Amino acid sequence: TVLDRLGRSKVVLHDDGAGPHTIENSLRKAYTSLTFKTTSGEFGKRIAGTPNAAGILQLENVTTLEGALPILAGQDLVGAIGISGAPGGDKDAACAQAGIDRIAGGLAAR
C-alpha cells in the first residue's frame, strides 16, 4: 500500500497467494509510518519503550508492526509505503525499501 502525504491510498497491490488480512495490515503500517514520520518498526520500538504511550494504539489504523517506511522527497514527507505478507516484518521493510530505492531518482526535492 502506498499513501500520499494526506494519507490517501494511491496504490494497493495484492498477490493471489497473500492472505486477505495483508491488505488492511499494509495500510495500517503505511498510515503509522506517515502519521509518526518514522518507520512502523521504529514506532513500535518507541511505544514498547514508553508503556504509558500505549494509549495511542487506540487510534484507528495505528500499528506497531514492522514493514512500512516514510517516503521523502529531500526533507519533505510525501507519503509512505507499507508491506505485509512476508514471513517477518524485517522482510516487509526490506521490500518497502526496495520500492523506494526503485523510485529514488524521481524523489528529488520538490
Side-chain angles (χ1 to χ4, degrees):
T1 299
V2 176
L3 303 178
D4 68 11
R5 72 177 79 227
L6 299 176
R8 297 177 297 204
S9 294
K10 299 306 280 183
V11 176
V12 178
L13 298 174
H14 189 253
D15 188 84
D16 291 341
H21 68 282
T22 59
I23 296 170
E24 177 183 353
N25 202 26
S26 65
L27 168 68
R28 293 180 68 192
K29 289 177 179 186
Y31 181 85
T32 299
S33 182
L34 179 72
T35 300
F36 298 101
K37 300 175 179 73
T38 190
T39 69
S40 59
E42 199 52 47
F43 175 77
K45 290 175 189 172
R46 189 183 316 161
I47 294 301
T50 314
N52 63 347
I56 203 158
L57 296 176
Q58 299 303 311
L59 294 173
E60 187 174 357
N61 292 328
V62 173
T63 185
T64 58
L65 298 174
E66 185 176 11
L69 304 172
I71 301 171
L72 301 170
Q75 296 297 314
D76 297 326
L77 180 67
V78 296
I81 181 171
I83 307 293
S84 179
D90 59 327
K91 294 169 187 65
D92 290 334
C95 184
Q97 185 62 59
I100 291 173
D101 292 347
R102 177 78 169 128
I103 63 167
L107 292 174
R110 297 177 180 210

